[in-house]
């Protein structure tokens, strides 16, 4: 099993920045060989892909809607994945979830939610105009 705990959400004005963190733990998984992703879900909408990072070479993939504004990164020494969010817009308002795919190949950046086996509980991000 894998436990994921997000933090860093909050209320911010448009144009501001937030950094989300996700701490991973679990007795039987190897964080350094796990692909990681961030998704978000606004009220009444589906959970959408935001960004993913592979476990080898730190390949990254970002959704077009956040490209150039958000950056995913990971720290294997801390078993953590981050999402740096800059130039936030009101449409970025959502609950943000981190997710882990323990079966991904070394350079894979999974972008579909069904590929992830483990999820955090989410953290709210609200961007005011």
């Amino acid at each position: 099993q894998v436990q994921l705990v997000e933090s860093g959400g909050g209320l911010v004005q448009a144009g501001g920045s937030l950094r989300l963190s996700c701490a991973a733990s679990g007795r039987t998984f190897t964080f350094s060989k796990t692909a990681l992703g961030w998704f978000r879900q606004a009220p009444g909408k589906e959970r959408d892909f935001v960004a993913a990072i592979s476990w080898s070479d730190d390949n990254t993939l970002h959704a077009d809607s956040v490209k150039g504004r958000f950056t995913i990164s990971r720290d294997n020494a801390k078993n953590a994945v981050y999402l740096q969010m800059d130039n936030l817009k009101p449409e970025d308002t959502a609950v943000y979830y981190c997710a882990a795919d323990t079966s991904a190949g070394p350079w894979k950046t999974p972008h579909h939610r069904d590929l992830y086996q483990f999820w955090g509980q989410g953290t709210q991000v609200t961007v005011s105009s």
Side-chain angles (χ1 to χ4, degrees), residues 1 6 12 15 22 50-51 54 58 62 64-65 69 74 78 84 86 89 91 101 110 129:
Q1 282 288 56
E6 302 96 336
V12 64
C22 176
V50 175
S54 69
D58 286 354
H62 296 81
D64 287 344
S65 58
R69 301 188 298 121
R74 64 188 296 160
K78 296 183 178 180
Q84 177 66 41
D86 298 318
K89 303 176 181 180
E91 51 264 42
D101 178 1
S129 57

Side-chain angles (χ1 to χ4, degrees), residues 24-99:
S25 61
R27 293 178 57 187
T28 59
F29 93 109
T30 304
F31 183 86
S32 61
K33 293 188 177 181
T34 299
L36 301 158
W38 286 96
F39 289 74
R40 66 186 181 186
Q41 188 167 19
K45 296 189 176 181
E46 293 188 348
R47 190 171 297 188
D48 291 332
F49 171 77
V50 175
I53 187 166
S54 69
W55 60 266
S56 181
D57 292 339
D58 286 354
N59 292 330
T60 62
L61 178 68
H62 296 81
D64 287 344
S65 58
V66 306
K67 201 170 293 183
R69 301 188 298 121
F70 292 10
T71 304
I72 187 172
S73 62
R74 64 188 296 160
D75 186 338
N76 289 341
K78 296 183 178 180
N79 278 16
V81 60
Y82 308 100
L83 186 67
Q84 177 66 41
M85 305 187 295
D86 298 318
N87 189 21
L88 282 159
K89 303 176 181 180
E91 51 264 42
D92 295 320
T93 295
V95 177
Y96 283 71
Y97 299 89
C98 71

Side-chain angles (χ1 to χ4, degrees), residues 9-13 18 88-90 92-94 96 124-128:
L11 174 64
V12 64
Q13 288 189 331
L18 283 175
L88 282 159
K89 303 176 181 180
D92 295 320
T93 295
Y96 283 71
Q124 177 70 47
V125 171
T126 303
V127 184
S128 63

